[in-house]
Amino acid sequence: MESAAETAAQAHQKWPSQLEVWIDRRKPVAELRIRTTEILRDVARWLTTEAGLRFAGLILEQQPEQWEFRYLFYLDHKAGWIHALVHQPVEQVSVPSISSEVYAADPHEREAEDLFGVTFSGHPKLGDFVLHDDSWQESVAPMRKEFDEAAALAERAPREGWRPRTIVEAPGAFVTPIGPVYAGVTESAQFFLETVGEDVIRAIPRLFYKYRAMEKVAEGRTIDEGLLFAERFAATTAFAHALAYCQAVEAICRVKVPPRAVMLRGFLAELERFRHHVGVIQEICESTGLSVAASQAALLEEDLLRISGAFTGHRYLFGLVTPGGLMRDFAGPDCRDAVEQARKVLLKLDSLFEMLRYSSSFLDRLEGVGLISSDEARKLGLVGPIARASGIVGDLRKAQPYCNYDRLQSDEIIENEGDGFARVRVLYQEATQAVHIMGQIPPQLESGEVLAPVTPQQGAALGWAEAPRGATFHWVRLGGDGLISRYHVVSPSFINWHGFHAATENFAFQDFPIILATLGLSVAENDR
Amino acid sequence: MLFLIDAWFAVCLLGIIAPIILSETRSARIVAWFGSLASLALLSAGGDALFSRQPLDLQLWTLPELGTLSFGVDHLSGLFLFISGLIFLSASVFSGRYLERYAGHFDLRVFCIFYHSIFVAVGLVLMAGDAVTFLMGWEAMSILAYLLVNCQHREVRNPEAGYLMLTMGEAGFLAVAVALLLLAMVSGSLSFASFRSAAAFAGPDIRWAVFLLSFFGFSVKAGLAPFNRWLPRVYPVSSATVCALLSGVLLNLGIYGIIRVNGDLLPPTSVKNGLIVLTVGSLTALVGILYANRESDMKSMLAESSIENMGIVTAALGAGFVFSASHAPVLAGMAFIAALYQMMNHSVYKSLLFYGAGSIDAAVGTRAMDRMGGLIKRQPWIAAFFLAGALSISALPPWNGFVSEWLTLQTLLQSAVLSSAAVKVVFAICGAILALTAALAVTCFVKAFGLSFLGIARSEQAKQSARVPHSMRTAMGFLAALCLLLGVLPTYVIPALDRAASLISKTNASETLIPPFFLTSPERSLLPPDFTADFHNLGAQIGKGILPGAGLVVLHRGTERNPVVFAMSTSYMIVALAFLLGGSFLVLRWWLARRTQRSIRPVWAGGLSELPPELTYTATGFSNPVRVTFNAIFHPAHVEDSSEMVAQHFRVVIRRVTEEHHVLDRLFYRPLRKAATGIANTVAKMHHGRINAYVAYILLCFLTMLLIGRYL
Amino acid sequence: MSQWVLKGISSGVKSTRYPDAEETAAGVSPGLPDPSVNLTEAQKMELIERCPSGAIFIEDSSLSVNYRRCIHCFRCVRGVSAPLAWNSGYEWAGLSSDANPPDWPKAFRKSLHIRVVDAGDCGACLNEVKQLANPYYNLHRLGFFITPTPRAADILMVVGPVTDQMRRPLREVYEAMPTPKLVMAVGEGAISGGIFGPSFVTSAGVKEVLPVDIEVPGYPPPPLAILHGLLVAAGRKAPASLFAREADAVLKNR
């Protein structure tokens, strides 16, 4: 199909006077600067339906003279990005909402409204998203430059009378609350299950109990401190996020990462993917109540954590990637050794999965449970293993290659049912694939440096990576002083939590933990 | 006894005349005082009749063509009179203040007149000695019941309910009348005494006809399937007094009719009668309790629960009929005792529960359980009495429901003595169904009590409920105490019931049920000789004289190796348990209080800032598992979820619409209606309006008549 | 079903022998920096500037590391001319106040019931807590159980810096626990706010909200360190010091 430049040219032909096209061939990014906001919805619709692009995220920046709304779109089979830009004057900030055309933009707009206090006209469901209505005042907009971050952490008393927004009308319908603190060793999130008794008609998640305002805290910090934030806001997939951040910074500062570091980065990313997927499989086994399988999978997860710890020094791969390359080098024999150990774990995972495939008690609880149809997955813009289990082709390693993934051989993994079992199969195949990719890297390692020097420059760029949970996008803007002036993260969990309600329609109470486990979403990654 | 009956009648008459003279505001008081006096008179009369040796026989006026109107009060009537008097007493006490809330809505004078009139009618039915009196009383009772129900005719949302009750009642009455007339045809006169003596001459066809007509005719009034569809509609629209009367007195009249005609006047000779009664009773019980679980309106739920209890009574009756016909009179007696005990218990605890529902309705202003909650804090007495009623109806010891339910199930288990395997199978299945209904009853009343009284208030009305007057609580307390007494002293109640049951079973069953040493002390020589032969050297009686009853009896069975036998009467057991459990509880509490700290904290709700009532269970949600399990019976016709979308992708409403038809409507009335309309449609083809055809019809009729006249 | 039984039995016993013996497998702990190296003043200042969380400081002219603040970023050993030494132990749990060992109830010696609350954790500390139930660490054999309700809990294990929205739920959990109760802050986030705090939505650690008894440093602390913390709470192990001084030669954790 076409590349970004061609798509941009077509857009210019359709709306000649209302939009300007700026092309940066290096990245490659085509910016469509929209002059009149009336065409924003049409442009968004055209880009996602006829031009076949996918919506990645919405970035708001409060610049000195204007507000910049940057809508990111990308091709899912060829390198290229389209950024649709809208500028608004500082006094009156309101743009039309594109959620009716691009449903995937819904959580982005809601988050922007809560944190920046801008209006998206035509959006029916603003409010109570990041800043909960029962503890924050309406007028608070923390991401604005004029917000006083140093204000003391005040204890806000909960406002009486808040009720969840319920939509089920049936005699005797009520809401069962779960959380934010609920049974087990779980992340804090709240769920409201609307039910008439036995079956749950609809489940509403209420997240952002773990909102740490990472994007606000990162403003004014150095690149190195930003790296720490990127690494640690969702530490179970630390490496992938740190990698995306580093790629953004390297794009701004025009750093060429040494080839050895590039290959090693891919190696570490796949190691993390393997460990993460085994962890999710362990959670799924535990949620279905199959204790022996859960213990066996837990053994494998711990094995991988120990392999990661022994190989890199930290079980979750902290302190490795840095803008310019890697903080430490790895010897070739050590890499091969790590691959051997990973292969041993993979053999055990194979035999475990083989047994699980024929366990009726496991399959009964997963088949047909938590169904997300491929239409819905496409509409919601889901990413990662969940999307691939619903038949959506989309993998940033192939669509927008980085870390030399285009030189490594890997298969396309797709399942079509969209239920819990399809997701387990996708996770297993991706884990196998990760080890396969890891095996290809040590022979291809070139000798040389692993770190290139980085001098901070002014500019902005997008970095991305296929994190274990899906596509993640990090937008970094560095100011003249080399400090971060805007840092926005679109995490895969943020995108995929939006699809939670699609998986939880008309299910039985007992299936709730199973659906949660098969979706494998992270609250920390969503809340940032 | 005659004096008491006269007194009762006089007071009732006064109760009918007084409201016409006095002002309306006194009417509630008249109901209370005169009604109480009359009830006391009647229940004394009933008690006297139950224990007297000689039944009362009174001949009144003789009517031309209809024979002599007579009264006959035997043990059976006495028992029913006693129960009716009891319930009327509690209703009178309750209504004294309860009716005041209706003061502006309808004329209390009219209510007072109807109240006393129905009292007279009930007495008439129970004391009737011949068919005419019986039918007159029955008809009066039906019409007065309808009038009482539709008293609030200006307000009631569903005036058809009372009308349906009247119509079905009349159909039942017709069936009963035909049955009695058939009996009259056999015996030649209209008095019950002649029916009794002529019973032996009735042929099998007549017996079948009388049984079917009378059973199904009385089953309308007794609330048995499939003719009980009026019950769940009538109760919610009546006031609590009327509900208590309907369930505590009028349902019993249906049972009285069944027992009188099928047990006394025309005793069963074939097991098939009993089996039909048993099956109908069991199925009624099951359907009743299933639909009770579905209701979230308290009065509807109690109405369906009444259906269940009447089903149990009927099942026990059916078992009794089967045992009678199989020449096992002792077992029959046991079964009848169980039935009468259950009926009496039902009257007591159902009235109690209806008073509770009425009190809550008066205090809170709503009957929907989904809008109550947390009432135990503001209405502790009502909660306590309601709990007593709920425990009784759930058949939990030491309350009265346990005794009767246990006796019923035990009796059904005795089917081993019967010879026919098919009969045993039916008994087994019905026993299983009754056990299932017992479990469902517990579910139902856990929901009723838990969701209305416990938890947090789910509406503003529930948060600010008014105080309930003392007299209403007294009536409930009286019945609750009665529940406890009837549960703790069954060894006294059973011999009393046996006097009534022996009329039908023709034997003294209480001797088998109650060991003799519970009724007499071991020193007395009234014990049967074979008993003393076995248990010589009767040992001590512990607790004798302290409590009513035999206390703990230690016997020595001299002929065996392990000679000592213990037996404990229930009254002693309850006191001993109360001391032991209560004592241990107090000791434990004192001991723990010294060692631990107590602090009162809000309920743990997972970290929610507040737990609003919308986030707690509703009654419908609680009963959903029952609905799902018994989906085959409930069989919703149509369940649809429809959603409304906004901005193309955002759902703003999900609406779930469920359409359901009652299982009896589906299985019985709808096919009937279809058949009837089908026949009518077929026959309607004859009427197409062409005058030529009508003339031809006339000709055809004429020819047929000539032929008939020719050949007959 | 029998295949699962056979599989379980054939895997054998995997539990670590800690606390009876030391666990020597590779990768069980990321270790902590050890300041017992000879460094020049300039090198010391370079290290102090390099540490992003201020864990390294000079006290009485000797280099010290405050483990309460170490975030395992490895910047003191990677990319510096004179790296610190590294100590690969795991018995890190210490008391939050340097007072004498507290008088915790004897009832906690044999068994502890734990309520885990995530108050804004990044995910790594929570994942390490989850690993406690895997066959390698198997906390049940030591008498430690995770309860679903605070009403039956002895010790409240908090991971993550306390975010604004989780303050009140966390306090409610604490209030819902019966006395005697302990609070354990696991991970550097819970101890001193992590890298995100303190800010307008994140506190500087659980001690701002609740009285903390035990602190387990690390980012994240490995499961063995958390086990050590639980053993300290049960009174079966001695607590470690949360500071390391150059003068103390090597951290005596073995």
Side-chain angles (χ1 to χ4, degrees):
Chain A
M1 290 240 244
E2 311 140 344
S3 73
E6 290 164 17
T7 314
Q10 280 188 346
H12 188 62
Q13 274 177 348
K14 277 191 76 117
W15 297 279
S17 57
Q18 292 125 314
L19 72 72
E20 274 175 23
V21 176
W22 289 60
I23 302 204
D24 181 347
R25 290 215 179 266
R26 229 172 347 100
K27 283 181 182 172
V29 173
E31 281 186 5
L32 306 176
R33 299 205 181 162
I34 299 177
R35 290 206 199 92
T36 49
T37 53
E38 281 80 25
I39 61 161
L40 178 61
R41 275 207 192 107
D42 300 324
V43 173
R45 184 180 46 238
W46 179 80
L47 284 173
T48 48
T49 48
E50 285 153 41
L53 289 147
R54 297 188 64 170
F55 178 74
L58 162 62
I59 303 164
L60 245 76
E61 288 193 62
Q62 187 185 8
Q63 291 164 352
E65 281 95 49
Q66 62 185 0
W67 283 84
E68 182 176 274
F69 289 70
R70 185 181 292 264
Y71 295 82
L72 305 171
F73 298 86
Y74 65 102
L75 297 156
D76 61 6
H77 55 281
K78 204 168 170 193
W81 288 83
I82 295 210
H83 296 191
L85 288 175
V86 172
H87 291 110
Q88 288 278 286
V90 179
E91 310 80 38
Q92 217 294 47
V93 191
S94 161
V95 289
S97 154
I98 64 169
S99 299
S100 54
E101 314 297 333
V102 183
Y103 191 37
D106 166 35
H108 297 89
E109 290 185 342
R110 275 200 267 169
E111 183 195 29
E113 191 264 346
D114 255 356
L115 293 176
F116 284 95
V118 302
T119 326
F120 291 90
S121 58
H123 192 297
K125 238 196 216 174
L126 295 173
D128 195 43
F129 189 55
V130 177
L131 305 178
H132 294 166
D133 273 352
D134 57 345
S135 49
W136 291 80
Q137 277 79 40
E138 274 301 314
S139 54
V140 167
M143 287 297 292
R144 290 208 177 201
K145 296 268 191 251
E146 55 265 26
F147 182 78
D148 182 10
E149 183 199 313
L153 182 59
E155 165 105 60
R156 287 180 202 80
R159 276 213 301 274
E160 304 271 325
W162 180 86
R163 300 282 179 270
R165 244 187 292 207
T166 55
I167 66 172
V168 170
E169 286 177 16
F174 63 101
V175 178
T176 299
I178 297 182
V181 179
Y182 56 103
V185 183
T186 49
E187 293 192 278
S188 295
Q190 197 167 43
F191 300 94
F192 293 106
L193 307 183
E194 288 196 68
T195 170
V196 284
E198 267 306 293
D199 60 326
V200 181
I201 302 177
R202 187 170 161 262
I204 319 166
R206 191 175 185 226
L207 303 168
F208 292 100
Y209 274 87
K210 293 170 51 158
Y211 173 60
R212 290 154 289 169
M214 170 185 116
E215 300 182 2
K216 182 75 180 182
V217 171
E219 285 179 6
R221 303 288 192 103
T222 63
I223 295 176
D224 194 49
E225 290 173 315
L227 172 65
L228 284 177
F229 292 137
E231 211 174 45
R232 285 136 199 272
F233 81 93
T236 41
T237 54
F239 190 83
H241 287 293
L243 179 59
Y245 172 82
C246 290
Q247 289 180 153
V249 170
E250 284 150 14
I252 299 174
C253 303
R254 311 230 173 90
V255 173
K256 184 169 179 334
V257 180
R260 185 181 176 83
V262 169
M263 298 302 286
L264 281 173
R265 277 178 172 184
F267 186 81
L268 292 165
E270 293 307 308
L271 177 61
E272 183 180 66
R273 191 184 316 275
F274 186 32
R275 188 258 305 149
H276 172 268
H277 283 356
V278 170
V280 178
I281 291 177
Q282 194 274 331
E283 291 238 357
I284 296 175
C285 292
E286 187 153 339
S287 73
T288 54
L290 207 51
S291 329
V292 179
S295 300
Q296 296 289 322
L299 283 173
L300 299 180
E301 188 185 359
E302 177 66 21
D303 282 340
L304 286 168
L305 282 168
R306 289 186 184 183
I307 294 172
S308 309
F311 180 54
T312 68
H314 193 275
R315 287 154 64 96
Y316 292 89
L317 307 180
F318 286 6
L320 290 174
V321 69
T322 188
L326 293 171
M327 275 171 72
R328 60 159 281 190
D329 197 355
F330 296 93
D334 288 338
C335 295
R336 280 191 284 277
D337 204 29
V339 172
E340 275 318 301
Q341 293 179 29
R343 284 208 178 110
K344 284 202 195 105
V345 174
L346 183 65
L347 276 177
K348 293 190 205 155
L349 180 67
D350 281 343
S351 75
L352 175 66
F353 192 71
E354 198 54 32
M355 282 178 72
L356 282 175
R357 266 156 59 103
Y358 295 106
S359 257
S360 61
S361 61
F362 183 70
L363 295 176
D364 279 346
R365 304 214 63 185
L366 287 179
E367 280 181 324
V369 165
L371 255 172
I372 303 181
S373 69
S374 75
D375 277 340
E376 270 179 344
R378 191 165 297 121
K379 215 172 54 166
L380 292 159
L382 299 185
V383 291
I386 303 175
R388 279 173 228 134
S390 293
I392 309 283
V393 175
D395 188 337
L396 282 184
R397 292 173 288 175
K398 294 199 165 46
Q400 311 282 338
Y402 58 98
C403 279
N404 287 342
Y405 272 110
D406 44 356
R407 279 204 242 150
L408 298 168
Q409 190 275 328
S410 60
D411 304 319
E412 195 176 82
I413 298 170
I414 279 278
E415 301 281 349
N416 287 307
E417 290 90 354
D419 63 359
F421 188 47
R423 289 182 216 127
V424 175
R425 294 201 305 272
V426 167
L427 288 168
Y428 167 69
Q429 289 170 51
E430 284 195 10
T432 315
Q433 185 95 284
V435 179
H436 179 57
I437 296 176
M438 273 170 74
Q440 297 173 44
I441 293 179
Q444 295 188 27
L445 277 179
E446 303 173 17
S447 55
E449 289 286 317
V450 287
L451 187 60
V454 170
T455 39
Q457 302 197 9
Q458 187 173 8
L462 184 74
W464 59 86
E466 180 73 17
R469 292 191 192 96
T472 180
F473 309 100
H474 292 234
W475 172 262
V476 182
R477 182 179 289 279
L478 299 177
D481 46 3
L483 300 176
I484 298 175
S485 74
R486 177 81 173 101
Y487 180 24
H488 180 66
V489 176
V490 177
S491 59
S493 290
F494 181 73
I495 301 171
N496 285 342
W497 268 112
H498 187 226
F500 178 76
H501 74 268
T504 51
E505 293 249 320
N506 283 327
F507 64 99
F509 266 112
Q510 310 90 293
D511 288 339
F512 185 68
I514 301 178
I515 298 178
L516 269 184
T518 59
L519 291 175
L521 300 171
S522 162
V523 176
E525 208 181 41
N526 172 78
D527 291 357
R528 283 162 286 139
Chain B
M1 188 189 3
L2 195 53
F3 164 72
L4 287 167
I5 295 180
D6 289 338
W8 158 76
F9 189 72
V11 177
C12 281
L13 218 53
L14 273 176
I16 297 176
I17 300 172
I20 304 176
I21 309 173
L22 298 172
S23 69
E24 186 183 341
T25 49
R26 301 274 184 96
S27 300
R29 298 291 175 83
I30 295 172
V31 167
W33 287 106
F34 286 178
S36 310
L37 271 176
S39 323
L40 280 170
L42 192 66
L43 69 90
S44 321
D48 194 23
L50 188 58
F51 286 101
S52 76
R53 307 267 167 86
Q54 187 71 356
L56 175 74
D57 239 320
L58 202 62
Q59 306 272 349
L60 297 173
W61 318 279
T62 311
L63 295 175
E65 305 295 338
L66 290 176
T68 324
L69 300 180
S70 61
F71 276 1
V73 183
D74 54 11
H75 294 163
L76 188 66
S77 310
L79 175 68
F80 278 84
L81 285 173
F82 178 79
I83 298 174
S84 309
L86 203 62
I87 303 302
F88 263 98
L89 176 65
S90 66
S92 311
V93 173
F94 183 79
S95 311
R97 294 299 299 277
Y98 178 70
L99 288 178
E100 283 168 9
R101 81 190 278 258
Y102 292 107
H105 298 278
F106 61 89
D107 200 344
L108 283 178
R109 284 190 282 198
V110 168
F111 184 88
C112 185
I113 295 176
F114 290 158
Y115 185 82
H116 292 265
S117 312
I118 204 172
F119 206 177
V120 175
V122 166
L124 208 63
V125 169
L126 291 173
M127 293 192 281
D130 71 301
V132 180
T133 326
F134 185 86
L135 291 173
M136 277 194 338
W138 191 269
E139 187 67 2
M141 184 257 307
S142 276
I143 296 178
L144 283 165
Y146 164 72
L147 288 173
L148 274 175
V149 166
N150 268 3
C151 230
Q152 301 168 256
H153 64 93
R154 270 184 240 115
E155 258 200 15
V156 81
R157 281 155 301 190
N158 197 3
E160 291 101 35
Y163 192 67
L164 181 66
M165 173 174 92
L166 188 64
T167 320
M168 290 180 85
E170 291 306 312
F173 170 77
L174 262 176
V176 167
V178 172
L180 290 177
L181 287 175
L182 280 173
L183 278 176
M185 191 177 77
V186 168
S187 72
S189 109
L190 282 168
S191 74
F192 284 172
S194 64
F195 288 172
R196 230 170 263 136
S197 41
F201 305 114
D205 296 331
I206 298 280
R207 281 176 177 271
W208 256 126
V210 170
F211 166 71
L212 288 173
L213 285 168
S214 67
F215 177 63
F216 285 106
F218 283 120
S219 74
V220 175
K221 209 50 181 191
L224 301 174
F227 300 114
N228 57 6
R229 296 297 295 126
W230 58 271
L231 245 169
R233 290 193 191 132
V234 161
Y235 281 58
V237 302
S238 337
S239 61
T241 320
V242 174
C243 282
L245 292 182
L246 279 174
S247 68
V249 180
L250 300 184
L251 288 182
N252 294 353
L253 291 183
I255 302 292
Y256 172 77
I258 296 175
I259 299 182
R260 182 62 80 187
V261 173
N262 295 303
D264 182 31
L265 300 180
L266 197 66
T269 49
S270 135
V271 289
K272 287 196 280 252
N273 295 15
L275 286 180
I276 292 179
V277 176
L278 173 64
T279 321
V280 168
S282 311
L283 291 175
T284 308
L286 183 63
V287 170
I289 199 61
L290 277 177
Y291 278 92
N293 268 302
R294 291 257 294 115
E295 297 288 340
S296 2
D297 178 304
M298 204 177 255
K299 277 213 183 116
S300 309
M301 181 198 74
L302 292 174
E304 299 276 1
S305 165
S306 280
I307 297 177
E308 179 231 354
N309 275 287
M310 283 297 122
I312 298 177
V313 174
T314 317
L317 274 182
F321 290 150
V322 172
F323 287 134
S324 271
S326 311
H327 310 292
V330 175
L331 286 176
M334 272 174 68
F336 291 131
I337 291 175
L340 293 172
Y341 211 133
Q342 175 78 23
M343 188 192 70
M344 182 167 64
N345 288 342
H346 169 255
S347 301
V348 175
Y349 53 57
K350 194 43 72 67
S351 310
L352 168 62
L353 290 168
F354 270 117
Y355 296 152
S359 307
I360 293 176
D361 195 12
V364 177
T366 174
R367 273 185 346 243
M369 288 194 279
D370 280 340
R371 274 188 288 186
M372 297 188 209
L375 291 176
I376 195 171
K377 296 189 190 71
R378 286 189 69 93
Q379 314 279 359
W381 283 109
I382 300 207
F385 297 144
F386 193 93
L387 181 62
L391 290 174
S392 309
I393 202 170
S394 310
L396 294 169
W399 304 95
N400 54 358
F402 170 69
V403 180
S404 54
E405 186 101 26
W406 187 84
L407 278 174
T408 312
L409 288 172
Q410 281 285 336
T411 320
L412 287 176
L413 283 175
Q414 302 299 324
S415 64
V417 308
L418 299 170
S419 51
S420 155
V423 173
K424 284 194 245 205
V425 167
V426 174
F427 264 69
I429 295 177
C430 291
I433 293 179
L434 286 182
L436 177 61
T437 62
L440 287 171
V442 179
T443 316
C444 184
F445 280 91
V446 166
K447 174 181 90 174
F449 183 73
L451 284 155
S452 316
F453 289 95
L454 305 177
I456 55 178
R458 279 191 285 277
S459 66
E460 268 315 300
Q461 301 162 291
K463 254 191 228 160
Q464 283 142 21
S465 50
R467 283 198 55 109
V468 173
H470 278 296
S471 63
M472 289 161 74
R473 287 187 271 166
T474 317
M476 291 175 68
F478 166 65
L479 289 176
L482 208 58
C483 282
L484 187 61
L485 280 176
L486 286 172
V488 167
L489 304 173
T491 45
Y492 290 92
V493 177
I494 290 178
L497 292 176
D498 194 27
R499 304 178 79 98
S502 59
L503 207 73
I504 326 164
S505 64
K506 314 283 187 287
T507 178
N508 254 338
S510 60
E511 279 171 16
T512 12
L513 283 174
I514 302 176
F517 48 80
F518 274 120
L519 296 173
T520 60
S521 61
E523 291 86 32
R524 301 201 33 196
S525 57
L526 287 175
L527 295 167
D530 51 347
F531 180 78
T532 44
D534 263 345
F535 288 93
H536 66 263
N537 194 5
L538 296 177
Q541 250 197 356
I542 304 174
K544 172 181 143 200
I546 306 176
L547 298 166
L552 169 66
V553 180
V554 180
L555 301 175
H556 190 260
R557 196 174 175 124
T559 49
E560 289 175 10
R561 209 83 82 72
N562 223 345
V564 181
V565 168
F566 295 86
M568 199 189 273
S569 74
T570 44
S571 58
Y572 189 82
M573 181 163 60
I574 188 87
V575 174
L577 272 179
F579 268 117
L580 283 172
L581 289 175
S584 329
F585 170 70
L586 288 172
V587 166
L588 201 64
R589 207 167 83 151
W590 167 81
W591 186 66
L592 281 178
R594 288 191 324 147
R595 291 163 58 93
T596 57
Q597 304 161 278
R598 249 164 51 114
S599 58
I600 299 186
R601 301 258 168 84
V603 68
W604 167 245
L608 276 181
S609 50
E610 51 169 319
L611 189 63
E614 293 88 340
L615 266 54
T616 56
Y617 244 104
T618 56
T620 323
F622 189 89
S623 60
N624 213 346
V626 173
R627 210 180 310 179
V628 168
T629 315
F630 291 96
N631 199 37
I633 298 182
F634 291 121
H635 203 68
H638 185 61
V639 181
E640 190 189 278
D641 280 350
S642 64
S643 3
E644 272 175 32
M645 309 283 263
V646 131
Q648 213 181 335
H649 299 290
F650 296 87
R651 249 185 337 189
V652 285
V653 171
I654 300 179
R655 230 171 256 121
R656 174 166 281 196
V657 170
T658 319
E659 208 183 282
E660 260 189 38
H661 300 292
H662 198 278
V663 63
L664 290 175
D665 288 339
R666 273 191 345 256
L667 295 179
F668 187 75
Y669 289 103
R670 235 200 278 167
L672 257 185
R673 203 169 61 219
K674 266 213 276 203
T677 43
I679 295 175
N681 281 336
T682 323
V683 174
K685 292 203 180 86
M686 276 182 22
H687 295 276
H688 37 62
R690 288 208 290 264
I691 194 130
N692 309 5
Y694 291 154
V695 173
Y697 290 155
I698 297 176
L699 185 62
L700 209 59
C701 267
F702 188 57
L703 282 174
T704 321
M705 297 262 277
L706 285 177
L707 281 170
I708 291 175
R710 169 81 174 81
Y711 285 107
L712 264 185
Chain C
M1 273 329 258
S2 57
Q3 48 174 356
W4 288 113
V5 177
L6 289 173
K7 186 162 182 80
I9 295 177
S10 64
S11 303
V13 174
K14 297 275 200 211
S15 302
T16 173
R17 296 202 28 239
Y18 181 78
D20 296 330
E22 208 183 296
E23 176 63 63
T24 49
V28 289
S29 165
L32 279 175
D34 181 359
S36 58
V37 280
N38 275 325
L39 297 174
T40 67
E41 284 305 310
Q43 287 169 334
K44 285 185 191 173
M45 294 317 293
E46 186 195 354
L47 281 174
I48 291 175
E49 272 178 32
R50 198 134 154 83
C51 177
S53 58
I56 308 179
F57 60 102
I58 294 207
E59 189 191 30
D60 299 335
S61 73
S62 73
L63 199 61
S64 303
V65 179
N66 180 2
Y67 290 140
R68 284 198 176 94
R69 294 190 151 276
C70 175
I71 60 170
H72 278 109
C73 61
F74 296 100
R75 279 153 176 70
C76 51
V77 289
R78 293 176 192 162
V80 275
S81 51
L84 282 181
W86 203 252
N87 185 309
S88 53
Y90 43 79
E91 289 191 321
W92 301 343
L95 304 175
S96 64
S97 64
D98 292 319
N100 292 328
D103 182 24
W104 288 334
K106 291 214 184 59
F108 290 172
R109 265 199 84 88
K110 288 282 173 72
S111 160
L112 267 181
H113 281 73
I114 308 161
R115 170 75 239 203
V116 180
V117 174
D118 169 14
D121 178 56
C122 56
C125 294
L126 201 69
N127 207 35
E128 296 292 63
V129 172
K130 277 193 205 154
Q131 301 310 317
L132 284 176
N134 75 22
Y136 279 118
Y137 302 111
N138 192 11
L139 79 172
H140 298 150
R141 72 193 154 96
L142 299 170
F144 302 137
F145 303 95
I146 306 218
T147 65
T149 167
R151 294 263 189 248
D154 302 316
I155 182 168
L156 176 61
M157 193 190 279
V158 188
V159 288
V162 185
T163 59
D164 190 44
Q165 314 271 53
M166 283 305 293
R167 276 192 148 205
R168 203 190 23 75
L170 183 62
R171 204 173 271 152
E172 277 188 19
V173 177
Y174 184 74
E175 299 284 321
M177 285 170 64
T179 54
K181 51 191 168 186
L182 297 175
V183 177
M184 186 156 112
V186 171
E188 198 263 342
I191 297 175
S192 47
I195 56 165
F196 294 105
S199 77
F200 69 102
V201 280
T202 316
S203 71
V206 178
K207 60 180 182 294
E208 269 191 22
V209 183
L210 299 175
V212 176
D213 299 296
I214 303 171
E215 292 175 337
V216 184
Y219 203 131
L224 286 172
I226 307 177
L227 269 184
H228 178 244
L230 290 170
L231 290 165
V232 169
R236 292 188 238 167
K237 276 263 177 182
S241 165
L242 289 169
F243 285 87
R245 289 175 185 77
E246 183 183 353
D248 293 346
V250 171
L251 272 175
K252 294 262 185 291
N253 264 352
R254 304 199 181 251

